[in-house]
Amino acid sequence: MGKILVVIEPNQDASMQMFTVAKELGGETDAIVMNDCECVSILPCSTAYNFSMDMYLPLQATDAVAKAIEISGATTVLIAATQVGRDLAPRVAARCGGSLIGDCTTVSNESGSIQCTRPVYGGKFVATIQAGDGLNIITVRPNAFASTDETGSPTVQTIETNHDDRETISAVEESGTNEMGVADADVIVSGGRPMGSEENFASLYELAHLLGGTVGASRAAVDEGYQPVARQVGLTGTVVAPRLYIACGIDGAIQHLAGMRGSQVIVAINTNPDAPIFKVATYGCVIDLFELVPALTKQLQQSPQPA
Amino acid sequence: MKILAITNAVPDPRGTLTTGDLNINSGGVKWAINPYDEYAVEQAVQLKEQRDDVDEVIVIAVGGDEAVTALRHAMAMGADRGIHIVCNDVWHDDLYVAKCIADAIETSGDTFDLLLCGKTNLSRDSESMGPALAEFLDIPHVGSVITLVVGDESATATHRVAGANETVEVKLPALVMCDKTLVDPRYPPLPKVMQARKKPLETIEPTTITSKTAVIEFNSPPEKGACTVIEGSPEEMASELLRVLREEAKVL
Ligand SMILES: Cc1cc2nc3c(=O)[nH]c(=O)nc-3n(C[C@H](O)[C@H](O)[C@H](O)COP(=O)(O)OP(=O)(O)OC[C@H]3O[C@@H](n4cnc5c(N)ncnc54)[C@H](O)[C@@H]3O)c2cc1C
């Protein structure tokens, strides 16, 4: 196994999971941190590169990562499949003449060659993909691998990049809250049509926050205007694979399942025992969500989650 | 100004799919334009309708016969002509598709000011083609765009990032990946569908490159174990659910 380069977004646990993937593949590991971050000097790797970039810009980030690939001589690049990672990886692969395997749920070393599996056709199938010769850029779904607490004392090297004046961020408008997006969440509590109103979703946010996660929604709930489109999970929304997905009053239409069936553990809360959501659920609760959600919230408030 | 819209055909999500030889069994599959590509085509056509400096909207696709379905649909929506890069293996990776299109643009001699594609390809479950194509052409790109204003030398695009809407200004030529809510795709009426059959559709062979990655197995996802039903009063259910999530599933 040749040299591995892990790409780190600051404060992104999904990026730290890439060190676990690197360990699994086995190989000397370097890292590159997007933007200066205190974490750089304690990453569990040999050399840690960093570069300044306040906000993600594709051309500039590609330039920095391409330089790190060249300096480190990496043949495998691991990037968490977050919004930024998905945007960056293809550019890096195209820039450096590498191959790209995106959105992997498993990555393994089969006698020296890398094999990955990834969902295709809306999660209806799983393809096993053999990496190419030479440089491979691989993005890995958040939470497909455990994170690591390991630290190290790498040599830190700064990479010079310049802002490319063909791309400029001209405005950033906070969309109300700092609520995390569904693609990056570890735990998602999703609500369907029976939520009935935007106000009722507040109870799901409360539960989700107690669990350290965020809220998703079915298309029916989005179409009714209870939640913004960015929260829609499914074929035409976001495809998610959190550690825990709690579906509250969601029927389990095939287009919804396409977006969440890859979750590690699925809890279904539904009044109809024959709802299709129970076919993919790990745990099922046949009950009115408006009875169970408050009970869960109350018990979590009494015995909170360890942080 | 010339605009290129990139499109793909995907299996109609309502149909059933079965496994074939390292891919889906394509026999009997009903194909449709990738839903996100409709936003790209619609945006391109609206720009042509709104501005008098847009000479042409061209639509391009890589694939077998199914790609024609997407191209004809895009032309029925209003694209002026189509380019079909013929590639008969049903599986091709995003980087291959991007390279084929970049090469086709280069050999055609056309210069495009704006390239539009859908945010996600729903067959490959992937968002990689757009950024890769932009890189091959050495132009900027913006992902998941929900509002777009195109000027003469630059475009201003807003997209969602964690907790915020970010507005990015890119110099033209640029590639924009279209998300839903950007525009409302029109449904072409029958006369437009008929007219689209007569619009020029050029067929070209891909350059001699192949996908660098290969599919070596293709399976249905592993079945989830049977669902464990949790019973009792709301309070009992809540405490039992939290217990199993902590102790059995170990996800809390
Ligand atoms: C091309 C296409 C793309 C689509 N993309 C998506 C997508 O990306 N995401 C998506 O989600 N959908 C998508 N859909 C829509 C999908 O087909 C369903 O219509 C939608 O998911 C239904 O949402 P729902 O489960 O919230 O609502 P419903 O179908 O109305 O189901 C509500 C469920 O809640 C249960 N229930 C009712 N009251 C309660 C209560 N008090 N407590 C507990 N349970 C209760 C009911 O038994 C039922 O199972 C798409 C459809 C098409 C055609």
Side-chain angles (χ1 to χ4, degrees), chain B residues 44-114:
Chain B
V45 172
Q46 282 189 16
L47 283 166
K48 184 166 181 205
E49 288 165 351
Q50 289 155 6
R51 299 167 59 119
D52 37 20
D53 64 343
V54 177
D55 309 320
E56 225 184 356
V57 171
I58 301 174
V59 60
I60 196 166
V62 177
D65 291 340
E66 79 286 349
V68 176
T69 313
L71 290 165
R72 290 284 178 210
H73 187 92
M75 288 190 272
M77 288 174 74
D80 299 301
R81 62 182 171 98
I83 302 173
H84 177 197
I85 305 177
V86 181
C87 160
N88 282 311
D89 347 327
V90 195
W91 179 264
H92 21 254
D93 71 26
D94 278 359
L95 228 56
Y96 169 82
V97 172
K99 185 75 174 111
C100 284
I101 295 173
D103 289 347
I105 293 174
E106 216 144 90
T107 37
S108 76
D110 283 320
T111 48
F112 294 99
D113 304 281
L114 184 65

Side-chain angles (χ1 to χ4, degrees), chain B residues 1-251:
Chain B
M1 175 175 274
K2 264 192 195 175
I3 302 176
L4 183 70
I6 297 119
T7 178
N8 302 267
V10 297
D12 186 319
R14 283 158 298 194
T16 6
L17 297 175
T18 53
T19 48
D21 183 20
L22 294 181
N23 204 315
I24 54 165
N25 182 353
S26 54
V29 171
K30 210 174 152 268
W31 297 89
I33 185 169
N34 181 41
Y36 285 98
D37 300 345
E38 290 183 70
Y39 302 103
V41 174
E42 178 65 32
Q43 178 67 74
V45 172
Q46 282 189 16
L47 283 166
K48 184 166 181 205
E49 288 165 351
Q50 289 155 6
R51 299 167 59 119
D52 37 20
D53 64 343
V54 177
D55 309 320
E56 225 184 356
V57 171
I58 301 174
V59 60
I60 196 166
V62 177
D65 291 340
E66 79 286 349
V68 176
T69 313
L71 290 165
R72 290 284 178 210
H73 187 92
M75 288 190 272
M77 288 174 74
D80 299 301
R81 62 182 171 98
I83 302 173
H84 177 197
I85 305 177
V86 181
C87 160
N88 282 311
D89 347 327
V90 195
W91 179 264
H92 21 254
D93 71 26
D94 278 359
L95 228 56
Y96 169 82
V97 172
K99 185 75 174 111
C100 284
I101 295 173
D103 289 347
I105 293 174
E106 216 144 90
T107 37
S108 76
D110 283 320
T111 48
F112 294 99
D113 304 281
L114 184 65
L115 291 89
L116 296 162
C117 68
K119 181 193 88 154
T120 311
N121 175 300
L122 294 181
S123 293
R124 298 191 293 269
D125 286 359
S126 167
E127 304 175 356
S128 309
M129 196 288 299
L133 175 58
E135 181 61 36
F136 285 130
L137 299 171
D138 190 22
I139 58 173
H141 83 272
V142 193
S144 306
V145 170
I146 52 172
T147 64
L148 178 67
V149 179
V150 181
D152 292 331
E153 263 148 39
S154 65
T156 307
T158 304
H159 64 166
R160 293 190 202 92
V161 295
N165 283 337
E166 188 180 80
T167 303
V168 185
E169 197 169 313
V170 282
K171 291 236 168 82
L172 299 179
L175 181 142
V176 168
M177 298 169 71
C178 305
D179 203 343
K180 54 182 168 183
T181 73
L182 174 63
V183 282
D184 194 7
R186 69 195 71 191
Y187 192 77
L190 193 60
K192 298 271 184 208
V193 175
M194 302 304 283
Q195 273 169 27
R197 291 195 190 155
K198 298 202 190 82
K199 289 187 179 177
L201 176 61
E202 188 189 345
T203 302
I204 58 177
E205 295 296 319
T207 41
T208 52
I209 50 163
T210 48
S211 293
K212 291 183 179 175
T213 59
V215 175
I216 53 172
E217 267 181 60
F218 192 87
N219 299 306
S220 296
E223 290 288 323
K224 287 254 184 251
C227 171
T228 306
V229 177
I230 293 173
E231 292 174 319
S233 68
E235 288 69 31
E236 285 161 2
M237 248 190 215
S239 63
E240 175 61 7
L241 180 60
L242 290 174
R243 188 193 68 77
V244 292
L245 290 176
R246 284 178 175 136
E247 293 170 20
E248 285 176 13
K250 299 192 168 53
V251 289

Side-chain angles (χ1 to χ4, degrees), chain A residues 10-43:
Chain A
N11 308 317
Q12 178 62 269
D13 185 55
S15 300
M16 294 304 290
Q17 297 162 9
M18 297 306 104
F19 286 112
T20 311
V21 185
K23 212 169 190 183
E24 177 120 351
L25 290 176
E28 193 190 341
T29 304
D30 287 349
I32 175 163
V33 183
M34 298 211 236
N35 204 6
D36 303 315
C37 160
E38 282 170 21
C39 66
V40 68
S41 59
I42 55 161
L43 291 174

Side-chain angles (χ1 to χ4, degrees), chain A residues 192-193 218-219 232-236 249 251 255-256 270 288-289:
Chain A
R193 193 196 312 268
S218 72
R219 169 145 150 199
Q232 183 180 318
V233 170
L235 185 67
T236 48
D251 198 52
Q255 299 90 356
H256 189 82
N270 198 302
D288 186 335
L289 73 98

